[in-house]
Amino acid sequence: MNPYILSTLLFGLGLGTTITFASSHWLLAWMRLEMNTLAIIPLMAQHHHPRAVEATTKYFLTQATAAAMLLFASTTHAWLTRQWHIQQMTHPLPSTILILALSLKIGLAPVHSWLPEVLQAFDLTTGLILSTWQKLAPFALLLQMQPTGTTLLVILGLTSTLVGGWAVLNQTQLRTVLAYSSIAHLGWMVLVLQFSPTLALLALLTYIAMTSSTFLTFTLNKSTTIHSLAISWAKSPALTCLTPLILLSLGGLPPLTGFMPKWLILQALTTQALPCTATLAALTALLSLYFYLRLSYAMTLTMAPTNLIGTMPWRTPHLRLTLPLALFTMLTLLLLPLTPSALALLSPS
């Protein structure tokens, strides 16, 4: 792609998300979400492959459906209450439709079926943008809505954690695995959204750091399937030693960073007199942890076959930029000791 066109698209992608953060009017937020969607579609379709074009069409139709639902719900709310302000959602019917529309945009279960298929069709770099940056604007609108007193978010959160942990068990494609990982982590964020929005934001930031390090690791190793992980040690032995720790951090295993948001979310749910919800969420996390252990086993404790198909690649020097990978890996592994600081930020003044 032409560098000038690429720069324009990335600028539009960043501008749409950034203005959505500052929006307080539903119509302006809807326009910026559409700007964000139209900016990423050429990035998805830049590889002229039938599967990529098909996935881009699916993504466009899904986002257009969610945008139509959002516009309809915000217009209905303005008709019923004479109010366009995002933080003044008082009527239950438009609020429910808006939550479902934003859930469809970010891929929460049970409206998640588009996300694994779309993510599987793209390269890892586009998948990284789709799994991290594209979640920010809809999630910011959910945070601004401040939905309270509704069981819909709890149902969506539990369903997402269950689907994200259960459906990943029979997958062999790493991009599909990361899609279901995204669904499960978003379920954890939505569970605690109405009780502690700041904690949900903390969970989102740690998810972005962990997912970015995972995508960058697989990009550096050029791994797209579980079987290709077995030859990662021949490409970068040091990174192969760190990757299981990154995966276990995604699973929420202490003493890694991924344990911090899960621990705080379970504590918040218990404080809100929801012990059954907290127990079910913790049990669904075990499903994801099992699969991350399976990936770690495939990467570190198995050897590639000694036939021509599994020939070890040459360890030629690469010119890829590894500073972002080093930064995100450090954040993924070493932030748990900062939990007291996070608790101090989350506690009311």
Side-chain angles (χ1 to χ4, degrees):
M1 181 178 289
N2 189 294
Y4 297 106
I5 297 177
L6 180 61
S7 300
T8 303
L9 293 175
L10 292 178
F11 177 75
L13 193 65
L15 185 64
T17 302
T18 306
I19 298 182
T20 305
F21 292 161
S23 299
S24 59
H25 194 284
W26 273 116
L27 192 59
L28 182 61
W30 171 78
M31 291 170 59
R32 296 313 174 188
L33 285 175
E34 289 303 289
M35 176 180 174
N36 187 279
T37 301
L38 293 176
I40 198 175
I41 283 178
L43 296 176
M44 293 177 169
Q46 62 178 324
H47 303 291
H48 301 289
H49 188 274
R51 189 166 186 178
V53 174
E54 178 188 353
T56 304
T57 306
K58 289 180 181 178
Y59 180 80
F60 173 74
L61 293 177
T62 303
Q63 298 300 308
T65 303
M69 290 175 60
L70 191 146
L71 185 61
F72 169 74
S74 58
T75 307
T76 304
H77 185 266
W79 176 55
L80 292 173
T81 64
R82 304 298 188 269
Q83 185 63 255
W84 282 95
H85 203 278
I86 295 176
Q87 296 181 356
Q88 300 294 328
M89 298 299 297
T90 56
H91 200 281
L93 179 60
S95 299
T96 303
I97 299 176
L98 281 167
I99 290 174
L100 290 175
L102 294 173
S103 301
L104 180 60
K105 269 194 169 295
I106 61 178
L108 279 175
V111 286
H112 69 283
S113 56
W114 64 271
L115 183 58
E117 296 182 7
V118 168
L119 201 62
Q120 173 59 31
F122 300 129
D123 60 328
L124 290 168
T125 304
T126 307
L128 173 60
I129 298 174
L130 189 60
S131 299
T132 55
W133 186 261
Q134 290 300 96
K135 310 290 186 187
L136 294 179
F139 200 83
L141 294 178
L142 281 174
L143 286 174
Q144 290 188 63
M145 283 179 62
Q146 297 178 350
T148 57
T150 174
T151 57
L152 177 61
L153 289 177
V154 176
I155 294 173
L156 288 174
L158 282 178
T159 306
S160 298
T161 55
L162 180 62
V163 169
W166 191 264
V168 77
L169 295 179
N170 63 341
Q171 302 295 329
T172 59
Q173 298 290 327
L174 294 179
R175 285 164 292 186
T176 307
V177 169
L178 292 172
Y180 283 112
S181 171
S182 173
I183 294 169
H185 281 88
L186 287 171
W188 280 88
M189 301 171 209
V190 170
L191 269 178
V192 78
L193 181 64
Q194 59 182 324
F195 307 119
S196 178
T198 313
L199 181 53
L201 181 60
L202 175 66
L204 176 64
L205 295 178
T206 54
Y207 157 77
I208 289 175
M210 294 184 296
T211 303
S212 299
S213 60
T214 308
F215 267 102
L216 292 173
T217 299
F218 292 156
T219 303
L220 190 66
N221 289 331
K222 297 181 180 179
S223 301
T224 55
T225 63
I226 296 179
H227 303 294
S228 62
L229 291 177
I231 58 174
S232 298
W233 65 269
K235 301 176 182 178
S236 52
L239 187 59
T240 304
C241 295
L242 290 175
T243 304
L245 297 177
I246 297 174
L247 294 173
L248 294 178
S249 182
L250 269 174
L253 195 69
L256 303 170
T257 301
F259 176 67
M260 177 175 61
K262 288 185 170 59
W263 172 28
L264 296 178
I265 289 172
L266 292 177
Q267 185 179 7
L269 292 176
T270 307
T271 305
Q272 296 293 329
L274 294 171
C276 294
T277 303
T279 304
L280 288 174
L283 290 176
T284 55
L286 294 177
L287 295 172
S288 300
L289 182 59
Y290 164 76
F291 193 80
Y292 293 131
L293 285 171
R294 178 184 167 191
L295 290 180
S296 303
Y297 171 80
M299 192 166 192
T300 59
L301 299 176
T302 58
M303 294 289 291
T306 56
N307 52 22
L308 293 177
I309 299 178
T311 303
M312 298 297 104
W314 288 96
R315 288 179 55 186
T316 54
H318 55 78
L319 300 176
R320 294 174 182 268
L321 182 63
T322 56
L323 179 60
L325 175 58
L327 177 62
F328 284 119
T329 301
M330 183 180 65
L331 294 177
T332 302
L333 302 181
L334 302 177
L335 285 187
L336 185 62
L338 297 179
T339 302
S341 301
L343 290 175
L345 291 175
L346 293 175
S347 61
S349 56

